Amino acid sequence: MEKILIIEDNRDLNAMLVKFLQGCGYTTQSAYDGVSGEQLAVSGDCDLILLDIMLPYKSGDQILQVIRRTSNKPVIVISAKDMIGTKIDILKSGADDYITKPFDLGELEARIITNLRRYQSASAKSETLSFKDIELNVQSKTVSVGGNQVILTAKEYLIMELFLSNQDKIFSKSNIYETIWGMDYLGDDSSVKSHLSRLRSKLKEAGGDEYIETVWGMGYRLKK
């Protein structure tokens, strides 16, 4: 059963969406401000996000930018802003769809079905992620180097999947921590550094190569 995250500060509208979507067979999770919405969005525990633009503390377009650093899960923006320029900017920023308030619930359901189908179809084609001689199987949650399986902890595996899913991106310590641990980064980078160090050592031991490099002052990325 797919889970839909609703980031909408209007509590009446949020409650109406929860009732409607649960009646359609989805599970739901709600956030009422931008900060908590972002935390839930980057945790990865949802299949689609309904995102308002005008939110307390952090705007929806800022949240969208954060989501797109690490995930291609579908995001449908729901907004009272109906100007064509605004819609174009939001879609260019990475939204999959845009629906203007007030909207028909039947139309919203149709857009959710379409976006979930498109995303699930694309995901089914990408069960294996590869880089050099590394292969990561998304279904079995296994990683191998040169055909030899590498035993990783849960956090090490998630970091590896994050890098392989975004092979041209540079990830800061805060990016990694907030994505993998699902909590605000408060400046203590010991957890990220220790997990990355062990992951790099295991990969190098298995393949004899450096697969993750440090970009000084910026973070980490796969070494081309």
Side-chain angles (χ1 to χ4, degrees):
M1 185 180 294
E2 292 100 339
K3 177 185 284 188
I4 297 177
L5 171 60
I6 305 165
I7 308 177
E8 167 61 63
D9 64 320
N10 184 310
R11 290 183 176 268
D12 289 338
L13 177 56
N14 200 314
M16 182 186 74
L17 289 170
V18 167
K19 182 178 180 179
F20 174 74
L21 293 172
Q22 290 181 355
C24 293
Y26 299 104
T27 60
T28 62
Q29 191 171 24
S30 292
Y32 305 96
D33 62 75
V35 173
S36 60
E38 180 182 299
Q39 291 174 343
L40 292 172
V42 301
S43 71
D45 187 27
C46 64
D47 299 291
L48 181 142
I49 299 170
L50 299 180
L51 177 64
D52 188 19
I53 294 299
M54 301 297 290
L55 294 165
Y57 310 127
K58 198 162 195 176
S59 67
D61 50 348
Q62 290 177 303
I63 297 172
L64 181 60
Q65 291 175 16
V66 173
I67 294 170
R68 286 296 174 250
R69 290 175 195 160
T70 59
S71 172
N72 62 345
K73 71 180 64 175
V75 177
I76 300 177
V77 168
I78 299 177
S79 176
K81 295 183 176 182
D82 61 355
M83 295 187 64
I84 294 298
T86 300
K87 293 180 182 180
I88 292 173
D89 289 341
I90 292 296
L91 292 169
K92 282 183 176 180
S93 297
D96 296 275
D97 210 341
Y98 191 109
I99 189 167
T100 304
K101 300 175 183 176
F103 51 85
D104 179 79
L105 289 173
E107 179 186 356
L108 176 63
E109 182 189 10
R111 290 178 185 241
I112 289 171
I113 291 170
T114 299
N115 280 281
L116 282 172
R117 184 186 298 127
R118 185 185 303 126
Y119 177 68
Q120 289 163 355
S121 176
S123 299
K125 296 176 182 177
S126 305
E127 292 184 356
T128 301
L129 303 175
S130 302
F131 175 76
K132 294 184 178 180
D133 56 345
I134 298 176
E135 285 199 357
L136 181 149
N137 188 294
V138 177
Q139 299 302 314
S140 63
K141 307 297 183 187
T142 56
V143 174
S144 63
V145 178
N148 299 313
Q149 186 171 344
V150 181
I151 305 301
L152 301 179
T153 66
K155 289 288 192 299
E156 290 165 358
Y157 169 84
L158 290 173
I159 294 171
M160 195 72 249
E161 184 176 331
L162 178 65
F163 279 110
L164 292 182
S165 298
N166 304 272
Q167 298 192 11
D168 296 319
K169 289 183 179 293
I170 298 173
F171 291 96
S172 66
K173 296 184 185 74
S174 61
N175 290 155
I176 296 170
Y177 187 83
E178 291 176 359
T179 302
I180 303 303
W181 276 262
M183 297 182 288
D184 284 339
Y185 178 72
L186 301 177
D188 180 8
D189 57 12
S190 58
S191 294
V192 173
K193 289 175 69 174
S194 62
H195 280 79
L196 271 169
S197 177
R198 289 195 297 269
L199 175 59
R200 295 167 87 171
S201 296
K202 289 178 180 181
L203 294 175
K204 185 174 183 179
E205 183 178 349
D209 195 4
E210 293 283 355
Y211 296 95
I212 299 172
E213 66 178 351
T214 301
V215 183
W216 297 110
M218 298 179 69
Y220 305 89
R221 68 181 174 194
L222 292 177
K223 186 175 182 180
K224 302 293 186 180

